[in-house]
Each structure stands twice: as C-alpha cells, then as structure tokens.
Amino acid sequence: MARKVSQEVWVGIIVSFYILCISFFCLMYSTSLGANNVFNLLVNKQVHLTSTMKINHTDDDSCLNRYIYIHDGLPARFNYDFLNNCESLSPGTSSSNKPSMCPHLVNLGACWFVTNPYLLEVIFHNRMKKYECLTRNSTLASAIYVPFYPSMDVGVHLWDSNIEIRDSSAKEFVKWLSGQPEWTKMWGRDHFFASGRISWDFRRQRDNSSNWGSKLRFLPESLNMTMLSIEGSRWKNDIAIPYPTNFHPSNDSEVVQWQDKVRKQERPYLFTFAGAPRPNQQGSIRGKLIQHCQASTNCNFLHCTEKICGNPITVMRAFQSSVYCLQPAGDSFTRRSTFDAFLAGCIPVFFHPATAYTQYLWYLPKNHSKYSVYIPVRDVTDLKEGSIEKILLGISKDRELAMREEVIKLIPKLVYADPRSRLETEDAFDIAVRGILERIGNVSKEIKEGRDPSIGFADEDNSKVTFPKTIEKPT
C-alpha cells in the first residue's frame, strides 16, 4: 500500500479551491441578506412558525403521533438573551479563552463556515421552527420541545467557584418549566431539549466547588426530561446526537456532489491524526499516537491549535488526503473530529467504545466493522511500536473500499441541513426528532399499560462508558 506523498500538493490545491469557491458563494449570499437580517433569522421567535403550525388533526393526518409543541413561553433569559449578548459568551472551553461568540453566529446554518459545536442548540431550535408537524395545542402533542440553550447558560458561570451561582439558572429553569400546565401531562417525560456541550458539563454529583459543571441533570425535574447532546453520559436520559460539522447543505444535490467528490479523492496517506497531546491528562494515548504517526512515512500529523484546526479547509485537506483517521478520546470520550472524518470520507479508527459505538446509536450501524476500525486500548502500554500501522496495512483493499463507501453513505445522516431549507433525505436533525418521538412514545405506552414510566427512563448504565469484560488486545 505505498502512498505517493507528493500528490498532497495537488490534493491541497484542489480541495482549497473547491471550498474557497463555496465559501465565496456563501459570503456573497450572506452579504445580499445583510448582517442584521441574518442575525434576525437567529433571534426572531416568529420565523417560520405560523406557516407550519397546525391546530387539529384527523384520522388520516400524516402528522398523527408526530406532533410537537414548542414551549415558546420560555423566558428569554434562557435562550434569546444569550444571542443578543453574544459578546459576553466565550466560544472556547477554558476560562482563559475569551473571544466573543458573535462571529460564530454569522451565516448560521448556511453553506461552509466555521460552526462552533456549542451552537447545536441554536441550530436545533431554528430547525425545529420549520418542523412540519408543529402544533399550538399542547394536548395534541406527542412531545414538547423546550428551546433552552443550556450550553450558553452554563458557560456564563462554569468556572465560578461559587456553586450556588453556578446552579442558580438551572434551578430557575426547572422551577419555571415544572410550573407550566404542560408539565402535568407526563410530569416532564414528554419534554426534551438539545445541548451543544457534553452531558458531563451538567452532571456535577457533589456540591464541591472543585468539581466540574452544574447539577442541572441531577435536579429532580430534569431527571424526567431527555437531553440530546453531542456526547451522552452513562444515564439513559442523555442521548448523543452528532456534533455539527462545517457543512450545512441546502438541498440533496449538494450532499450528492460532496459524496461524489470524496469518493473520487486521491488519498496519498495511509492514516492521519489531527490533534494535540494531553500531557496533563492521565491515561491519554494521544502522545503515543503522535509518536506512532511521526515515526511513519505513511502518516500525516496535523498538530492542532485553535487557528489550525478551527479552519475547515485545513482539516478537510488533511482528512481527505488519508484513508484512515485516528480518533482517540479528547477531553471527553467523543470528538468533533470524528464527524469531520466522516464528512471527508476518511475511515475512523477508534480506541474506546464510548467514542462512537455506545454513543450515536440512532445514527451508526450496529456492526461497527462496516464503517470503522477498532483498536481497543485499555492502557497506553497496549500500543506497541508500529502496531497501528501494522494493523492498517493488514486490511485488504476490498475491505478498505467497502468501509469507505459505508462512511460516505452515512454523510447525509450526520450533517445538519441549512435551517432555512430541508433535505428530501433525513439529516441528523430529522433522525433526532424521529428518535425522541419513539422514545416518548414508548414511555406513553408504559403509562397506558399501567407500568411505572420512571423505570429505565433515567437509569444509570455504566456499560455505555466502559470496555466490555473481554477484550482482544491489538497485536
């Protein structure tokens, strides 16, 4: 499997030109709209609502059992106020990262642009406004969507040492919500919201200022709700949905064109790792992966900084030039990079089941060998020198092609379409809505049959975040 590294130059030129052309088109489009109009698209509560609302349904109604009610009465301090004061929000993950979130709101959901994962809840809200089966009558609704922006909310005080301040907004939120008449129908078990942060940011188990996060998801009322987030926890009412990538197609032909492009892509490298070491993170295998990559002429190492890996062109160029993309755990189990790899047609290589296999159950095939390579690593010492390269070189060309085709087929399911349009095929939003309706439908059935709806709803399941009891070590 000799790789012609010299081809990388041409790959870079072609990819850069392609994306820059699309970016230029998007820029021209957004300019024609006007910056204020684009921003109003985000914050205007009434956009697209009245045209899709339905009051009643009939027996032949295509929306039967699919109606969703949006809690539009939610006070603005829990959502829209964050957008109006975006300069006070940080797009980063540390208290020292203080740039404004405002630039990330421009062109939200349009074409190629830099999408901050925290904006998933805003993207989701704007998509929900155009959902075809909205209803103004909450008694007809099969599910109730709460347009709460938990990532932005918790981010304001996440580094505050005073846990009362850190938890105050979450407590106010559940107090308001549980006081609404809609709550008593199923005591919140038909309520759901989305989050652009990982579930662990809302799962502080001890009232200790040194412990991370808020305790939103341990508040009694919150236990009865389902949260869709970029990474689930070991509790069953936290469900993982894909990280937003930088691609938000406005029609199906854009998706097909992109799939054709990555299918034909020349891939001079055997494998790529895009990331940075985690020297202060005990048990992290990133440093070892970097060593493996730098020791191989078949590997491309992209040393990530905010400037480098925050650039869609740089990341796509690296991933499209490679057959396999290494996806170790990041600061948590999952990575945005995984979905960038899927988008680039790069076969992901996972080292822990909680990075994808036990997370995105509504999206990825149960047979993970169809679309990925699994090299289980319990400990850094499991990674012997040259073992990754040896394993990847041992994969037949036929299996490689089959896996890549499966990865490319998954792309439509893993992207979020432009909120101003919708695809004919299901995207990540559509699948999330279908999944939540099925989950709440099962709870409704339990209630109708006289069983306790709390059983299994928010139970803890440690198998979601641990290795199986028996595991084959990489050779």
Side-chain angles (χ1 to χ4, degrees), residues 63-78:
C63 287
L64 194 63
N65 299 320
R66 296 173 56 226
Y67 279 106
I68 293 179
Y69 175 81
I70 297 180
H71 240 314
D72 273 326
L74 185 70
R77 68 180 183 274
F78 298 121

Side-chain angles (χ1 to χ4, degrees), residues 252-378:
D252 290 81
S253 64
E254 289 181 6
V255 180
V256 173
Q257 288 172 14
W258 182 256
Q259 287 175 299
D260 288 342
K261 175 179 171 51
V262 296
R263 184 178 286 115
K264 298 171 183 176
Q265 190 72 49
E266 291 288 334
R267 298 179 184 271
Y269 286 107
L270 176 63
F271 61 114
T272 285
F273 176 52
R278 295 288 192 274
N280 299 322
Q281 193 176 87
Q282 189 177 7
S284 174
I285 65 171
R286 285 175 167 234
K288 204 69 176 262
L289 296 184
I290 293 171
Q291 291 176 17
H292 281 232
C293 188
Q294 291 179 326
S296 171
T297 57
N298 279 325
C299 186
N300 177 30
F301 173 50
L302 184 65
H303 191 165
C304 279
T305 63
E306 185 176 347
K307 182 177 181 180
I308 292 174
C309 288
N311 185 331
I313 295 175
T314 304
V315 174
M316 282 295 108
R317 179 187 299 165
F319 286 176
Q320 284 184 288
S321 68
S322 186
V323 176
Y324 301 98
C325 288
L326 307 186
Q327 300 297 338
D331 294 321
S332 62
F333 289 113
T334 64
R335 303 181 77 204
R336 150 76 176 269
S337 174
T338 294
F339 295 94
D340 288 334
F342 276 115
L343 185 59
C346 188
I347 302 164
V349 180
F350 297 116
F351 303 88
H352 194 293
T355 304
Y357 303 145
T358 62
Q359 293 281 350
Y360 307 102
L361 303 181
W362 293 350
Y363 295 88
L364 301 178
K366 290 182 179 179
N367 182 359
H368 57 72
S369 63
K370 290 180 64 177
Y371 65 89
S372 68
V373 177
Y374 183 38
I375 305 176
V377 179
R378 286 184 182 273

Side-chain angles (χ1 to χ4, degrees), residues 70-106:
I70 297 180
H71 240 314
D72 273 326
L74 185 70
R77 68 180 183 274
F78 298 121
N79 51 28
Y80 291 108
D81 282 357
F82 296 119
L83 302 182
N84 290 323
N85 297 286
C86 56
E87 68 279 352
S88 65
L89 300 173
S90 170
T93 57
S94 71
S95 57
S96 61
N97 192 333
K98 292 296 184 183
S100 167
M101 180 70 89
C102 297
H104 295 267
L105 297 175
V106 177

Side-chain angles (χ1 to χ4, degrees), residues 21-295:
C21 286
I22 298 177
S23 300
F24 179 74
F25 171 78
C26 294
L27 178 62
M28 294 299 292
Y29 180 72
S30 65
T31 302
S32 68
L33 284 176
N36 290 333
N37 287 338
V38 175
F39 188 72
N40 288 337
L41 184 68
L42 303 178
V43 300
N44 187 345
K45 297 181 183 181
Q46 302 305 318
V47 171
H48 300 304
L49 281 175
T50 54
S51 62
T52 55
M53 285 286 191
K54 297 185 180 183
I55 305 300
N56 299 301
H57 63 225
T58 59
D59 290 339
D60 61 349
D61 191 347
S62 63
C63 287
L64 194 63
N65 299 320
R66 296 173 56 226
Y67 279 106
I68 293 179
Y69 175 81
I70 297 180
H71 240 314
D72 273 326
L74 185 70
R77 68 180 183 274
F78 298 121
N79 51 28
Y80 291 108
D81 282 357
F82 296 119
L83 302 182
N84 290 323
N85 297 286
C86 56
E87 68 279 352
S88 65
L89 300 173
S90 170
T93 57
S94 71
S95 57
S96 61
N97 192 333
K98 292 296 184 183
S100 167
M101 180 70 89
C102 297
H104 295 267
L105 297 175
V106 177
N107 285 341
L108 181 66
C111 304
W112 279 93
F113 66 101
V114 180
T115 304
N116 190 291
Y118 296 171
L119 292 181
L120 172 61
E121 54 217 34
V122 185
I123 294 171
F124 200 94
H125 187 187
N126 278 279
R127 286 295 305 280
M128 185 57 72
K129 290 175 184 177
K130 292 194 67 178
Y131 176 63
E132 69 270 24
C133 294
L134 293 181
T135 178
R136 289 194 186 96
N137 187 344
S138 63
T139 63
L140 298 179
S142 297
I144 294 177
Y145 168 64
V146 186
F148 177 40
Y149 296 169
S151 299
M152 297 184 183
D153 182 74
V154 76
V156 175
H157 298 294
L158 193 53
W159 294 273
D160 200 307
S161 59
N162 187 325
I163 58 174
E164 289 299 321
I165 294 176
R166 217 189 296 171
D167 294 336
S168 60
S169 185
K171 291 178 179 178
E172 291 174 7
F173 165 66
V174 297
K175 181 180 179 180
W176 180 89
L177 193 60
S178 61
Q180 304 309 303
E182 291 81 11
W183 185 263
T184 58
K185 180 181 177 181
M186 291 177 64
W187 301 104
R189 292 187 181 88
D190 55 350
H191 287 48
F192 72 100
F193 58 94
S195 168
R197 281 185 179 269
I198 65 173
S199 298
W200 300 101
D201 287 349
F202 312 98
R203 289 278 183 184
R204 194 189 74 247
Q205 293 182 282
R206 299 181 182 86
D207 287 336
N208 187 318
S209 60
S210 63
N211 284 51
W212 177 257
S214 82
K215 64 185 303 180
L216 167 66
R217 296 300 283 144
F218 285 123
L219 297 176
E221 299 87 350
S222 187
L223 290 174
N224 285 6
M225 293 187 280
T226 300
M227 181 172 76
L228 304 174
S229 69
I230 54 177
E231 177 178 317
S233 68
R234 60 177 179 264
W235 285 271
K236 293 183 177 180
N237 60 338
D238 290 337
I239 296 175
I241 62 176
Y243 282 71
T245 64
N246 297 306
F247 182 41
H248 302 271
S250 58
N251 56 61
D252 290 81
S253 64
E254 289 181 6
V255 180
V256 173
Q257 288 172 14
W258 182 256
Q259 287 175 299
D260 288 342
K261 175 179 171 51
V262 296
R263 184 178 286 115
K264 298 171 183 176
Q265 190 72 49
E266 291 288 334
R267 298 179 184 271
Y269 286 107
L270 176 63
F271 61 114
T272 285
F273 176 52
R278 295 288 192 274
N280 299 322
Q281 193 176 87
Q282 189 177 7
S284 174
I285 65 171
R286 285 175 167 234
K288 204 69 176 262
L289 296 184
I290 293 171
Q291 291 176 17
H292 281 232
C293 188
Q294 291 179 326

Side-chain angles (χ1 to χ4, degrees), residues 432-443:
V433 169
R434 177 161 54 85
I436 204 73
L437 287 169
E438 183 177 343
R439 173 177 165 81
I440 295 172
N442 289 335
V443 176

